[in-house]
C-alpha cells in the first residue's frame, strides 16, 4: 500500500508529465507555423513520450493499490520566435522535471518506500537522457543559426525521430 504522501506526490508528477506533453505539443504547433515539419514531428514524438511517462506513473499507483486523482492541466505558452527559443525552454523545463523526480526519490527514501525508490530509478535514468537530448538540440540550433541550408538539414534530421513506447525499449 502506498503512503498517502507518496500517492499525492506521484499524482502531482502525473500532472507535471501531462503538462510537459502539453508544452511540447504547443511547440509542435509553433514548429508547424514556422514551416518546419521536422521540428513539428520531433515535438509530437516528445509529447507522446511525456504521455507515456504519465501513464507509467498512473499504472504504478494502481498497481500499488493507490488512488489516481487527476487535476487540471495548466495551459502552456503558445508562442515562440525560433526553434532555438523552444529548445532552450525545453532544456530548462527538463532540468526542472529532474528536480521534481529527485524530490520524489528523496520522499521515497524518507518514507522508506523501497518499491517506489526502485520504480523511480527508471525516471532518474530517463531524465539524464532527456536533459542530454535537449541540450544537444540547443547546440544544433545554435550552430545552424540563421543559415537556411543548415536549418533545412536540421529539420530533415528532426523528421526522422519516431516514438518508441518505454516498454518496448
Ligand atoms: Fe517526462 Fe521530459 O520528462
Amino acid at each position: 500500500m502506498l503512503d498517502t504522501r507518496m500517492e499525492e506526490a506521484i499524482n502531482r508528477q502525473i500532472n507535471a508529465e501531462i503538462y510537459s506533453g502539453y508544452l511540447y505539443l504547443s511547440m509542435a504547433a509553433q514548429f508547424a507555423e514556422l514551416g518546419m515539419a521536422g521540428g513539428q514531428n520531433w515535438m509530437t514524438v516528445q509529447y507522446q513520450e511525456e504521455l507515456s511517462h504519465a501513464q507509467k506513473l498512473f499504472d504504478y499507483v494502481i498497481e500499488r493499490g493507490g488512488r489516481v486523482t487527476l487535476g487540471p492541466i495548466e495551459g502552456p505558452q503558445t508562442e515562440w520566435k525560433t526553434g532555438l527559443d523552444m529548445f532552450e525552454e525545453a532544456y530548462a523545463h527538463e532540468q526542472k522535471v529532474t528536480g521534481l523526480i529527485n524530490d520524489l526519490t528523496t520522499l521515497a527514501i524518507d518514507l522508506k518506500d523501497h518499491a517506489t525508490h526502485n520504480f523511480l530509478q527508471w525516471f532518474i535514468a530517463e531524465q539524464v537522457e532527456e536533459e542530454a537530448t535537449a541540450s544537444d538540440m540547443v547546440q544544433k540550433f545554435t550552430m545552424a543559426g540563421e543559415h537556411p541550408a543548415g536549418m533545412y538539414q536540421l529539420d530533415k534530421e528532426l523528421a526522422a525521430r519516431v516514438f518508441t513506447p518505454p516498454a518496448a525499449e
Side-chain angles (χ1 to χ4, degrees):
M1 195 67 187
L2 269 181
D3 185 289
T4 321
R5 283 164 291 177
M6 200 70 240
E7 182 185 276
E8 281 169 5
I10 299 176
N11 270 301
R12 279 197 300 276
Q13 191 62 30
I14 292 174
N15 190 285
E17 298 289 348
I18 296 177
Y19 171 76
S20 297
Y22 217 28
L23 175 67
Y24 294 129
L25 190 62
S26 188
M27 289 181 183
Q30 184 66 80
F31 267 116
E33 230 178 290
L34 294 173
M36 294 182 71
Q40 181 188 345
N41 170 67
W42 198 99
M43 285 298 175
T44 304
V45 171
Q46 190 61 28
Y47 154 72
Q48 290 170 307
E49 261 205 16
E50 297 302 349
L51 292 191
S52 78
H53 296 168
Q55 186 70 54
K56 213 174 171 68
L57 292 158
F58 179 103
D59 292 344
Y60 179 73
V61 173
I62 306 277
E63 197 183 352
R64 293 289 310 279
R67 186 158 191 272
V68 170
T69 44
L70 300 177
I73 309 295
E74 194 189 321
Q77 186 177 329
T78 53
E79 271 182 57
W80 292 268
K81 280 197 174 65
T82 64
L84 177 61
D85 287 347
M86 285 186 257
F87 276 108
E88 277 177 340
E89 186 170 335
Y91 183 37
H93 181 71
E94 288 305 332
Q95 288 172 291
K96 222 168 77 187
V97 174
T98 298
L100 296 177
I101 296 294
N102 287 343
D103 290 347
L104 273 183
T105 311
T106 303
L107 181 63
I109 291 168
D110 290 348
L111 295 172
K112 298 186 170 54
D113 183 348
H114 300 294
T116 302
H117 181 257
N118 181 54
F119 166 74
L120 289 170
Q121 299 310 302
W122 184 89
F123 283 88
I124 292 171
E126 177 69 7
Q127 280 313 119
V128 171
E129 206 182 300
E130 292 278 74
E131 281 194 37
T133 307
S135 161
D136 186 48
M137 283 301 160
V138 168
Q139 263 186 333
K140 284 180 173 167
F141 270 83
T142 304
M143 277 185 337
E146 297 300 313
H147 308 296
M151 211 41 94
Y152 176 75
Q153 270 310 319
L154 184 52
D155 197 51
K156 254 172 62 174
E157 185 187 320
L158 299 187
R161 189 182 187 199
V162 288
F163 173 62
T164 314
E169 273 169 7

